[in-house]
């Protein structure tokens, strides 16, 4: 009976992240439009776009290989699995033993690798530009992510997300400068990984600036719909990850009743609302930076992660 309940809750989370990802993307777009004094698209516009793309025929380039056809599903599967492992409204999920920060980073890295490979497969100049820029961003973002993982693991004593969120919610965590540095660094990495302003503008198709759009420029139909859904899932994943680690309030513990799960779900939706509003306000007030300044941006995230680790070692006498 317990196994069936845990399977049900895990399945509910997988379905929730899949259904709410386009809605969260639509919410961010709507808030940005309101801040710019525009009416903006409806909240359900991402769903309409996905349905429209699914109805269209797939157009493939003559130079596209079989890998070009398979990569959208590989990227979607890796992103969906990673998003399903992050505790959203409850800790101690059935597959929480595999909800490791390093495993999640590896899943996202594999999806990024295949997407860059798809940009190179067709052989277009835009795909090559987007893949090279994506590789540059990944080579700078992944070391910063590893340092963030080290900082959080040294504080919580584990890289497992349920254990980490339980520790962060306890009074034992206290006020730590290293946590603030890790939070800022993780936000910077999340912005870069999702191609948001100031790193990339997801609403533009200008060939001199686009990164993600350049890699998927040759996709159409259901392939493009799967990639767009994976992109929305990745944005929701990072927001849920930040909320799980740095704002674990309201998460239902393992074995909790229905009321606790309902409160946890309401708390998660509230965190998504706040995060989406802040993201829209930040992108409205910030301009896109030049490509050669991305290294300085992510280099700052890497230095914040290193500084957080060094502060922990110094506080524990590890550098005497």
């Amino acid at each position: 009976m317990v196994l069936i309940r845990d399977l049900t809750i895990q399945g509910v989370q997988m379905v929730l992240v899949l259904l709410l990802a386009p809605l969260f993307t639509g919410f961010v777009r709507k808030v940005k439009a309101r801040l710019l004094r525009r009416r903006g698209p409806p909240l359900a516009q991402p769903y309409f776009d996905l349905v429209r793309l699914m109805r269209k025929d797939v157009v493939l380039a003559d130079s596209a290989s079989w890998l070009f056809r398979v990569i959208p599903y590989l990227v979607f599967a890796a992103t969906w699995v990673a998003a399903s492992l992050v505790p959203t409204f409850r800790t101690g999920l059935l597959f929480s033993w595999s909800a490791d920060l390093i495993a999640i980073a590896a899943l996202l890295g594999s999806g990024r690798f295949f997407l860059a490979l798809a940009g190179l497969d067709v052989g277009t100049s835009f795909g090559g530009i987007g893949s090279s820029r994506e590789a540059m961003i990944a080579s700078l973002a992944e070391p910063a992510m590893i340092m963030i993982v080290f900082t959080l693991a040294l504080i919580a004593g584990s890289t497992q997300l349920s254990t980490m969120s339980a520790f962060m919610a306890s009074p034992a965590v206290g006020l730590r400068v290293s946590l603030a540095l890790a939070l800022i660094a993780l936000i910077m990495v999340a912005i870069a990984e999702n191609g948001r302003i100031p790193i990339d503008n997801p609403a533009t198709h200008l060939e001199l600036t686009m990164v993600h759009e350049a890699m998927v420029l040759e996709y159409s139909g259901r392939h493009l719909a799967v990639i767009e859904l994976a992109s929305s899932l990745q944005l929701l994943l990072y927001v849920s990850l930040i909320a799980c680690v740095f704002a674990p309030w309201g998460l239902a513990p393992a074995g909790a009743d229905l009321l606790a799960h309902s409160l946890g779900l309401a708390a998660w939706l509230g965190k998504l609302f706040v995060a989406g509003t802040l993201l829209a306000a930040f992108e409205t007030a910030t301009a896109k930076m030049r490509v050669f300044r991305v290294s300085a941006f992510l280099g700052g995230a890497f230095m914040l992660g290193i500084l957080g680790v060094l502060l922990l070692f110094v506080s524990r006498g590890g550098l005497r």
Side-chain angles (χ1 to χ4, degrees), residues 41-211:
L43 288 176
Q45 186 61 46
Y47 297 103
F48 301 151
D49 295 338
L50 292 176
V51 173
R52 174 176 54 84
L53 289 173
M54 291 295 292
R55 290 177 177 176
K56 288 188 174 182
D57 295 331
V58 174
V59 179
L60 293 173
D62 295 335
S63 57
S65 66
W66 63 270
L67 194 61
F68 187 80
R69 301 177 179 89
V70 176
I71 281 177
Y73 304 104
L74 294 177
V75 174
F76 170 74
T79 309
W80 190 17
V81 170
S84 301
L85 293 178
V86 178
T88 55
F89 61 91
R90 178 200 165 177
T91 60
L93 295 170
L94 182 61
F95 299 117
S96 61
W97 56 270
S98 60
D100 189 277
L101 264 179
I102 299 178
I104 291 175
L107 285 170
L108 295 176
S110 63
R112 189 185 312 113
F113 167 76
F114 283 116
L115 196 58
L117 194 62
L120 295 172
D121 184 75
V122 182
T124 61
S125 58
F126 287 162
I129 291 174
S131 297
S132 63
R133 290 175 177 176
E134 182 70 14
M136 179 196 69
I137 294 174
S139 64
L140 297 170
E142 288 183 357
M145 187 65 183
I146 293 299
M147 298 310 301
I148 295 169
V149 172
F150 286 166
T151 303
L152 297 176
L154 287 173
I155 294 175
S158 173
T159 57
Q160 206 268 342
L161 286 175
S162 293
T163 303
M164 195 176 293
S165 61
F167 180 81
M168 294 297 180
S170 66
V173 62
L175 294 176
R176 299 173 185 260
V177 179
S178 297
L179 276 180
L181 296 177
L183 173 60
I184 297 173
L186 183 57
I187 292 175
M188 296 170 71
V189 170
I191 291 173
E193 293 282 20
N194 288 279
R196 311 296 300 191
I197 295 175
I199 301 299
D200 189 18
N201 188 357
T204 185
H205 284 82
L206 182 62
E207 62 271 12
L208 295 178
T209 60
M210 59 185 178
V211 179

Side-chain angles (χ1 to χ4, degrees), residues 258-287:
L258 183 59
L259 178 61
H261 285 89
S262 301
L263 293 176
L265 180 59
W268 179 47
L269 294 177
K271 295 171 189 176
L272 293 181
F273 176 83
V274 173
T277 304
L278 293 177
L279 177 61
F282 174 78
E283 291 189 345
T284 304
T286 307

Side-chain angles (χ1 to χ4, degrees), residues 5-14 84 93-96:
R5 184 188 61 184
D6 291 342
L7 278 173
T8 303
I9 295 175
Q10 182 69 69
V12 167
Q13 166 150 328
M14 294 183 69
S84 301
L93 295 170
L94 182 61
F95 299 117
S96 61

